[in-house]
């Protein structure tokens, strides 16, 4: 037994004395190239370590250098494409401005620019002066699990909704609840930090928004049985921030029941008794309908106004 142990120890000591590259010639060929590809040794060092097969080393090194060259070319071309795209957008904008100035004259263009700026300042002032005693509050509930693409689509809809609220004659109070995480980042890309609105980081009745009375809250849901007949000042109307391309039923209704607030739907069935194929609307469309009702106090006229706008803007009729 002792002789066996002594022989094993002798073999181990003998192997330890022999270099690894001499025991395994394959390692001597590949190991320097692997180190060089990871940036741990220089090309000269890689060649100096490899002794057994100079041709294999040179071929591996040439392949690695070619891959690195192609990768650098791709990066440079990507940066160049982004730079060219930015320059094209800037050039198109300059050409558009130059064409407008040439068509209407520089003085008229400056007056138009000044008039638009003045209208925006006046609109922001009207929106700041809105209060619950004379105006309703419209809240978009963002506490829904949307995918990344749906979040981007929702951010675009909210930008359009804010534009409708901003330039309305008698604007309501506009607010967002659960303004955080990915939705906040997507909205920040559209300049939401400069929007005149109320932003609640938590839910509708949490923390900063606890001043909202549940008796004055009305949750809009296409699955509700009650119908929204009128919009009153002092009430809070909540719109579910859902981009529902698959028509998931009952999400907003179950949320209203969980919060313990009243749920209503828009009067589609009363206005169009023959039926509506799809009564689920975008967030900006619902906000626009409510603003038009505040203007006309007539749901049918409000629906027709929004429908006419959709036809003129996109050429596509709403499903009826």
């Amino acid at each position: 037994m002792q002789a066996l142990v002594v022989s094993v120890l002798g073999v181990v000591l003998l192997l330890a004395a022999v270099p690894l590259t001499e025991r395994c010639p394959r390692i001597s060929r590949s190991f320097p190239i692997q180190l060089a590809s990871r940036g741990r040794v220089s090309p000269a060092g890689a060649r100096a370590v490899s002794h057994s097969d100079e041709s294999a080393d040179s071929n591996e090194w040439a392949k690695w250098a070619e891959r690195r060259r192609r990768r650098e070319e791709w990066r440079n071309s990507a940066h160049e494409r982004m730079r060219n795209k930015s320059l094209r957008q800037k050039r198109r904008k300059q050409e558009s401005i130059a064409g407008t100035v040439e068509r209407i004259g520089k003085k008229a263009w400056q007056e138009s620019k000044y008039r638009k700026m003045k209208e925006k300042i006046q609109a922001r002032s009207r929106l700041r002066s809105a209060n619950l005693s004379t105006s309703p509050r419209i809240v978009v509930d963002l506490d829904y699990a949307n995918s990344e693409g749906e979040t981007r689509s929702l951010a675009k809809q909210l930008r359009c909704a804010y534009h409708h609220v901003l330039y309305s004659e008698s604007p309501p109070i506009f607010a967002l609840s659960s303004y955080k995480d990915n939705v906040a980042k997507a909205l920040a890309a559209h300049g939401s930090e400069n929007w005149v609105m109320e932003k609640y980081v938590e839910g509708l009745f949490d923390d900063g928004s606890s001043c909202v009375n549940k008796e004055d809250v009305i949750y809009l849901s296409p699955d509700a049985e009650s119908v929204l007949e009128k919009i009153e000042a002092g009430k809070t109307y909540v719109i579910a921030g859902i981009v529902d391309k698959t028509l998931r039923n009952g999400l907003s209704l179950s949320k209203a029941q969980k919060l313990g607030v009243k749920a209503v739907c828009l009067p589609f069935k009363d206005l169009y008794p023959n039926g509506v194929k799809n009564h689920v609307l975008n967030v900006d469309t619902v906000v626009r309908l409510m603003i038009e009702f505040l203007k006309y106090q007539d749901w049918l006229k409000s629906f027709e106004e929004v429908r006419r706008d959709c036809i003129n803007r996109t050429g596509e009729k709403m499903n009826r």
Side-chain angles (χ1 to χ4, degrees):
M1 185 66 182
Q2 293 180 353
L4 179 61
V5 172
V6 170
S7 62
V8 171
L9 288 176
V11 172
V12 171
L13 292 174
L14 181 62
L15 290 175
V18 179
L20 180 63
T21 55
E22 294 182 9
R23 296 199 308 269
C24 303
R26 183 178 295 179
I27 295 179
S28 67
R29 293 196 301 270
S30 62
F31 189 63
I33 302 302
Q34 293 174 2
L35 290 181
S37 65
R38 296 173 184 174
R40 296 183 182 179
V41 297
S42 63
R47 296 193 191 96
V49 175
S50 178
H51 300 288
S52 62
D53 196 345
E54 292 292 337
S55 61
D57 290 350
S58 61
N59 291 336
E60 291 292 332
W61 179 254
K63 291 179 181 179
W64 174 83
E66 181 65 18
R67 287 196 299 269
R68 183 172 182 179
R69 184 186 63 80
R70 290 180 180 178
R71 186 163 57 246
E72 291 295 332
E73 287 182 355
W74 181 84
R75 289 176 181 172
N76 294 335
S77 63
H79 289 302
E80 187 67 21
R81 287 195 300 270
M82 292 177 62
R83 182 174 175 272
N84 292 338
K85 182 179 179 181
S86 177
L87 290 176
R88 285 196 303 270
Q89 291 176 347
K90 186 176 181 181
R91 193 183 305 115
R92 281 197 297 267
K93 185 176 180 180
Q94 292 175 350
E95 291 175 355
S96 176
I97 293 175
T100 305
V101 171
E102 184 179 357
R103 187 175 67 255
I104 65 176
K106 185 175 182 180
K107 185 177 180 180
W109 176 75
Q110 290 178 344
E111 292 177 353
S112 174
K113 187 176 180 181
Y114 174 76
R115 184 172 62 254
K116 290 180 181 178
M117 188 182 302
K118 187 177 180 180
E119 289 176 357
K120 187 173 182 179
I121 293 174
Q122 292 176 350
R124 290 173 66 89
S125 178
R126 286 197 305 269
L127 193 53
R128 285 194 184 96
S129 61
N131 56 76
L132 278 177
S133 60
T134 58
S135 305
R137 178 194 280 125
I138 298 178
V139 181
V140 180
D141 188 4
L142 305 178
D143 190 20
Y144 289 91
N146 292 318
S147 64
E148 184 178 353
E150 291 174 344
T151 301
R152 290 196 299 267
S153 178
L154 178 61
K156 294 179 182 179
Q157 294 181 24
L158 290 173
R159 182 187 62 183
C160 296
Y162 174 73
H163 184 271
H164 295 323
V165 173
L166 181 63
Y167 289 100
S168 61
E169 296 179 1
S170 55
I173 300 173
F174 195 52
L176 300 176
S177 67
S178 299
Y179 181 79
K180 56 185 177 180
D181 300 336
N182 295 333
V183 182
K185 293 179 182 178
L187 286 170
H190 294 280
S192 62
E193 299 298 328
N194 299 322
W195 293 357
V196 181
M197 62 167 59
E198 299 175 356
K199 301 183 183 75
Y200 302 137
V201 177
E202 300 300 329
L204 193 60
F205 300 107
D206 301 332
D207 296 344
S209 59
S210 58
C211 59
V212 179
N213 189 2
K214 286 189 177 183
E215 296 179 356
D216 297 331
V217 175
I218 299 174
Y219 211 106
L220 272 67
S221 172
D223 303 309
E225 296 181 357
S226 302
V227 178
L228 180 63
E229 297 179 355
K230 58 181 180 179
I231 300 176
E232 305 176 19
K235 299 287 186 180
T236 299
Y237 299 88
V238 185
I239 303 172
I242 307 174
V243 181
D244 202 357
K245 296 181 180 180
T246 58
L247 296 182
R248 296 168 290 180
N249 296 325
L251 287 180
S252 53
L253 182 60
S254 61
K255 183 66 178 294
Q257 293 173 350
K258 180 180 178 181
L259 294 174
V261 298
K262 181 180 179 182
V264 298
C265 65
L266 294 175
F268 277 103
K269 296 179 181 179
D270 297 339
L271 298 176
Y272 304 106
N274 294 332
V276 180
K277 291 183 180 180
N278 183 10
H279 59 274
V280 178
L281 303 176
N282 292 342
V283 174
D284 57 318
T285 306
V286 177
V287 173
R288 174 73 190 282
L289 283 171
M290 298 178 72
I291 290 174
E292 293 298 329
F293 181 83
L294 291 173
K295 180 179 179 181
Y296 297 113
Q297 295 297 317
D298 187 331
W299 279 117
L300 181 59
K301 193 170 184 179
S302 302
F303 272 91
E304 292 301 323
E305 188 72 22
V306 175
R307 176 177 174 273
R308 191 181 305 112
D309 244 14
C310 291
I311 294 174
N312 294 335
R313 186 172 64 252
T314 64
E316 298 178 356
K317 298 183 179 180
M318 295 175 64
N319 293 328
R320 294 184 56 179

